[in-house]
Amino acid sequence: KKKNVRVLKCDFTKYLAQRKLGGLSVRNSFGDFLVQTTDSTITLPSKDKAVSGGAPSDELVKDAAFAWKVCKHVKSNAIIIVKDGAAIGIGAGQMSRIDAAKLAIQRAIFNGHNPRGSIAASDAFLPFPDTLEILNDAGVTALVQPGGSIKDKDVIASAESREVTMILTGERHFRH
């Protein structure tokens, strides 16, 4: 009944026979299985992938790359806050990306870090501007995320109006 729902039917044994040994992640839940390829690649953020906030500095891109690497290995929905080469806040495993952002901010502050001037990373696209706005209200000035949402234009417009540098990678790291 939902628009854009995708249901895939797969002959699991045929699929396994076509693949080399390894490279699959299998999760069992009440007799059903989630089979997905292992997330074994990473596309690092780069200056030419910035879609708002002007050209990012070398330092910003360096922190963005670090945030993206950490984000890849954290349980989804993941929001990572990085400042000066250190992960200062991590929000992960939440049902909502907004809650993950709030958790990352809370953890940063609780541990004595100021998120002002930091960069955040999201393992999957932002479906609405609200997560970006919560992060920016806390002082985050840059964000790296995959992009690919139907509402990318709205998220980019919000970033632009708030002078937040946003870098899109075109690659998601949504870990179940």
Side-chain angles (χ1 to χ4, degrees), residues 109-123:
I109 293 168
F110 179 80
N111 288 302
H113 301 286
N114 183 347
R116 295 253 168 246
S118 63
I119 181 167
S122 173
D123 62 342

Side-chain angles (χ1 to χ4, degrees), residues 58-90:
D58 290 340
E59 281 185 17
L60 190 148
V61 173
K62 186 177 177 181
D63 272 354
F66 177 67
W68 193 237
K69 288 176 188 176
V70 172
C71 200
K72 172 185 167 80
H73 298 286
V74 176
K75 187 89 167 173
S76 298
N77 288 308
I79 299 289
I80 310 301
I81 300 175
V82 167
K83 187 173 183 180
D84 300 326
I88 63 169
I90 298 175

Side-chain angles (χ1 to χ4, degrees), residues 15-128:
Y15 181 74
L16 283 176
Q18 292 175 352
R19 293 196 44 89
K20 294 179 181 175
L21 186 62
L24 289 180
S25 169
V26 180
R27 303 272 318 238
N28 181 341
S29 177
F30 303 106
D32 291 325
F33 293 91
L34 169 64
V35 180
Q36 55 191 2
T37 55
T38 304
D39 184 5
S40 59
T41 63
I42 188 162
T43 303
L44 294 179
S46 61
K47 289 182 178 188
D48 62 323
K49 299 289 185 172
V51 294
S52 68
S57 68
D58 290 340
E59 281 185 17
L60 190 148
V61 173
K62 186 177 177 181
D63 272 354
F66 177 67
W68 193 237
K69 288 176 188 176
V70 172
C71 200
K72 172 185 167 80
H73 298 286
V74 176
K75 187 89 167 173
S76 298
N77 288 308
I79 299 289
I80 310 301
I81 300 175
V82 167
K83 187 173 183 180
D84 300 326
I88 63 169
I90 298 175
Q94 303 302 304
M95 296 295 287
S96 156
R97 196 158 303 284
I98 293 170
D99 290 343
K102 289 177 181 176
L103 183 59
I105 294 163
Q106 288 170 355
R107 286 187 175 166
I109 293 168
F110 179 80
N111 288 302
H113 301 286
N114 183 347
R116 295 253 168 246
S118 63
I119 181 167
S122 173
D123 62 342
F125 63 72
L126 301 182
F128 302 101

Side-chain angles (χ1 to χ4, degrees), residues 158-176:
S158 179
E160 199 59 54
S161 73
R162 290 170 165 263
E163 298 179 359
V164 172
T165 300
M166 187 181 322
I167 302 172
L168 302 181
T169 64
E171 170 187 75
R172 59 187 293 216
H173 295 294
F174 200 76
R175 186 167 166 251
H176 294 282

